Each structure stands twice: as C-alpha cells, then as structure tokens.
Amino acid sequence: MTTEASGYELAGSLGVPVVLVIDCKGAAASVPAQIRGFLCHRADSNIRGVLLNRLPGRLYPGMKALIERELPLRVCGYLPELPECSFESRHLGLIPAQELHDLGARLERLAQQAARSFELEALLALAKGAPALEAPALAAAPSGGVPVQIALARDEAFCFYYEEALQRLQGLGARLVPFSPLHDERLPDHIDGLLLGGGYPELYAHELSENRPLLGQLRALVRGGLPTIAECGGFMLLQESLEGTDGNRYPMAGALPGECRRQQRLCRFGYARYTALSDGLLCGRGESLPIHSFHYWDSTAPGDGFLAQKPGRDGSWREGVMTGSLYAGFGHLHLCHGELAKRFVARCRGAQKERR
C-alpha cells in the first residue's frame, strides 16, 4: 500500500494545516482513541484541528472537553445528523449535482447549521497559518484567428469533467460547443475536435442506442480522424455495444471494436499511471500520464496503447487506445497535466486547417 495521491500526501505537498473530520455516530470515549491513532500514525500529518460529524448538539460540550483534555489539538465544531441534507449514491458514487433539484436548499441548510455549530474563528485562524499558494497562469489564447471548435458531450449520460480542464482548453483558444448524445440527432456543425467525457451511459443505454443518426456520425468522424478524447463513458459510447443496467445489450457507435459488459465488482478502480507504447494524440512513446478509473463495466477490447500500473503495486497491464487522432479508454485524464491540453488543441487546429 502507498500514500501516493492521498489526502495526506496532498496536505504535505502544500504544507497546509489539516482539520480531521471524525464520524461520531454511536461513539463516545472511542472518539479520542481514533483521533490519537491518526496523530501517532504519521508524525508529519500536521493535524491541527478536528470536526465532529453526526454528533448530537447536547453531547458536543462534553465531547469537546474530553478530546481537548486528552489530545493536543482544538475541536472546531460539530454537525448533527441531518437526514434531509444527505447526498445519495449509486454504483459510481454520489448522484451528480445536476440531478438534485433541491441542491441549493440542502447546501443552504448545511451552511446555516455550520454557522451555528462550527467554531469559524478557530477554523479561520488555522487557515491563516497556511503558506501562500501561487497557481501557474493559464496559457493565453493565441491572438487573432478563428477559435477551434470542440464538441463537448454534456447531458444526463455524460457529465464527468474537470471544470479547470475545460477552462484550460478555452484559454488555449478552443470554443467548447455542448451537445447531447441523448437528445441531439447531429453533432454541432464545423467542429475541429470532440470531447466525450465520463458519466452514466449504462443508465441510458437504450435511449443512446436509438439515436442512430448521431451514433453513425460519431462512427464516421472518429474513424475519419477527427481529434477525439473519449474517457470512460465516452469510450463505452464508441464501442460496438453496451450492456445497460437492465441487463440488455444495446448497439453503440461502433467506432471501436469491443463490447462493454457489467462485472460483479469494481474492475477498474483508483489511481494509476499510463505509459504510452507509441506516439499519439496526447503524448509520445514512453511518456507517462496520471489517470483515474472507477467502473463496474469492462470491455472485451480495452485496448493496448498504454502500459498501466498502480502506485506502489507490482505488475502492470495494457489498456487504452491511442492513435494520432484519438485517445479512448477507461482512464480519466486531467488535461491540465503537462502538455495534454496544448497538444489536443494543436491537433484540433491542424484539423481546422485541413477542413478549410
């Protein structure tokens, strides 16, 4: 096991104080023991405060006194259990924000409670002890010229994106044109690239399969060399078929070989690193990319364009597809890493010149 890519490593890299959140439901004197375990396990954890979650308000004064008497840190508040503010999950984690009609009301309720039961001055004092952080400036868009147009799949089925990555593409001169693989029969006109993100295509496999005009257009453009990034759900969309959550198999775009089928357990989970086995759209042979995977679905043709390896683990395997115009695979990328966004936009710009 390794701490690579953990919250502990992130806090250490940034040099920031840590506030530990402890679940107190059904617990009493064991809470200080849990906290002590975190404090002693890593001497450099920099844990400076604690928040007590799911703790009834009447118990807070006694719990706070117990912890601060036994341990060298400050208790900075509590949250009682609030069932009306809970966030439900399904097979890939939390229900996406866009599907929660009352999200604003839930957040407002949580904010009101935090204002009453968090010791905000204590939290602010800890935050002020953090060192200043400087974010690198995003690359400026080229002056003049026509922006490259990148079609962005965005609807109920495709919704997993890093907003920072989308901003990076825009900063490099891309115009993102949203479309819906569920509801639009055609891709936007005059596009120079295609971005198919992750999401829940398995929940909408039947509806996606019925959108034959768009699936056919996707197949033709991807096979024809349109610069394309297809992560996880997008990769599943480009394959020949997809098993829906109803257990039935539905035809997809067929731009790539393979059938995506549900597995009994998570088969692609966690952080890993891809090493490219040949030159391609996003990187050259031997270059390494950090990725993240999380799915119960697997493919009969997962690709062999990268050598994948998990941090701190022996062994590796091949997966992912990369050509001069395509990245497709179960691995989610962060386009702000290295030159990924810059290379993608440059390839899209080349396609724009060819189109003209």
Side-chain angles (χ1 to χ4, degrees):
M1 301 297 290
T2 175
T3 59
E4 185 175 348
S6 66
Y8 162 78
E9 184 188 52
L10 178 62
S13 298
L14 298 176
V16 295
V18 173
V19 176
L20 184 67
V21 179
I22 291 289
D23 185 359
C24 297
K25 186 175 176 65
S30 62
V31 172
Q34 292 183 61
I35 301 170
R36 185 184 299 277
F38 280 100
L39 290 172
C40 295
H41 185 60
R42 289 283 192 274
D44 59 350
S45 66
N46 204 23
I47 296 172
R48 303 284 300 282
V50 63
L51 284 170
L52 307 177
N53 192 31
R54 299 206 296 174
L55 179 73
R58 69 181 185 278
L59 300 181
Y60 177 65
M63 184 69 77
K64 174 181 170 68
L66 174 65
I67 293 169
E68 293 184 344
R69 183 170 63 249
E70 296 189 4
L71 301 171
L73 51 72
R74 181 165 182 178
V75 179
C76 300
Y78 73 97
L79 271 182
E81 190 163 22
L82 301 170
E84 69 277 15
C85 295
S86 64
F87 293 91
E88 297 78 14
S89 298
R90 56 187 174 216
H91 62 281
L92 293 186
L94 294 176
I95 302 295
Q98 61 268 24
E99 296 184 31
L100 302 175
H101 68 278
D102 63 342
L103 177 60
R106 295 191 204 189
L107 294 177
E108 179 62 28
R109 173 77 177 86
L110 286 167
Q112 291 173 358
Q113 179 60 53
R116 290 193 296 269
S117 58
F118 281 12
E119 299 186 15
L120 297 176
E121 291 300 322
L123 291 170
L124 288 172
L126 286 176
K128 289 176 181 177
L133 299 177
E134 293 186 7
L138 295 178
S143 58
V146 179
V148 295
Q149 302 231 101
I150 299 176
L152 176 73
R154 201 159 211 178
D155 58 17
E156 303 95 308
F158 300 93
C159 51
F160 294 177
Y161 294 102
Y162 294 110
E163 288 299 325
E164 183 186 24
L166 300 183
Q167 293 169 13
R168 181 69 171 270
L169 292 173
Q170 292 170 320
L172 289 166
R175 178 172 176 259
L176 303 180
V177 188
F179 76 98
S180 168
L182 278 172
H183 308 298
D184 295 333
E185 292 190 350
R186 288 189 55 80
L187 288 164
D189 293 332
H190 310 304
I191 58 172
D192 310 303
L194 179 62
L195 186 52
L196 304 172
Y200 293 98
E202 63 274 15
L203 295 180
Y204 304 93
H206 174 66
E207 293 90 334
L208 288 167
S209 71
E210 291 192 325
N211 195 351
R212 301 310 301 169
L214 186 123
L215 291 176
Q217 193 181 15
L218 283 173
R219 180 171 59 252
L221 289 174
V222 173
R223 287 182 175 179
L226 180 71
T228 300
I229 293 176
E231 303 173 311
C232 201
F235 175 56
M236 295 161 73
L237 180 69
L238 293 184
Q239 296 223 319
E240 294 174 302
S241 68
L242 169 62
E243 180 183 343
T245 51
D246 60 4
N248 295 319
R249 193 172 301 170
Y250 298 96
M252 292 290 117
L256 295 172
E259 300 177 347
C260 285
R261 302 171 182 171
R262 185 167 191 165
Q263 308 301 305
Q264 295 301 311
R265 59 186 178 86
L266 281 168
C267 55
R268 301 185 181 279
F269 173 70
Y271 296 108
R273 188 165 288 276
Y274 279 175
T275 300
L277 298 175
S278 62
D279 296 340
L281 173 68
L282 298 178
C283 60
R285 179 176 180 175
E287 289 188 64
S288 184
L289 310 174
I291 64 101
H292 177 253
S293 297
F294 188 92
H295 226 299
Y296 284 89
W297 268 248
D298 204 352
S299 170
T300 58
D304 60 0
F306 297 89
L307 194 66
Q309 187 171 26
K310 287 195 172 184
R313 304 275 185 90
D314 293 328
S316 59
W317 66 97
R318 293 190 177 197
E319 69 170 68
V321 177
M322 190 167 68
T323 68
S325 62
L326 173 67
Y327 164 78
F330 280 105
H332 289 269
L333 308 172
H334 198 312
L335 292 177
C336 290
H337 173 77
E339 300 289 304
L340 295 185
K342 186 176 181 180
R343 289 171 176 173
F344 182 51
V345 171
R347 185 64 185 86
C348 292
R349 198 168 297 284
Q352 183 189 63
K353 291 177 180 178
E354 293 172 9
R355 179 167 59 82
R356 295 185 167 203

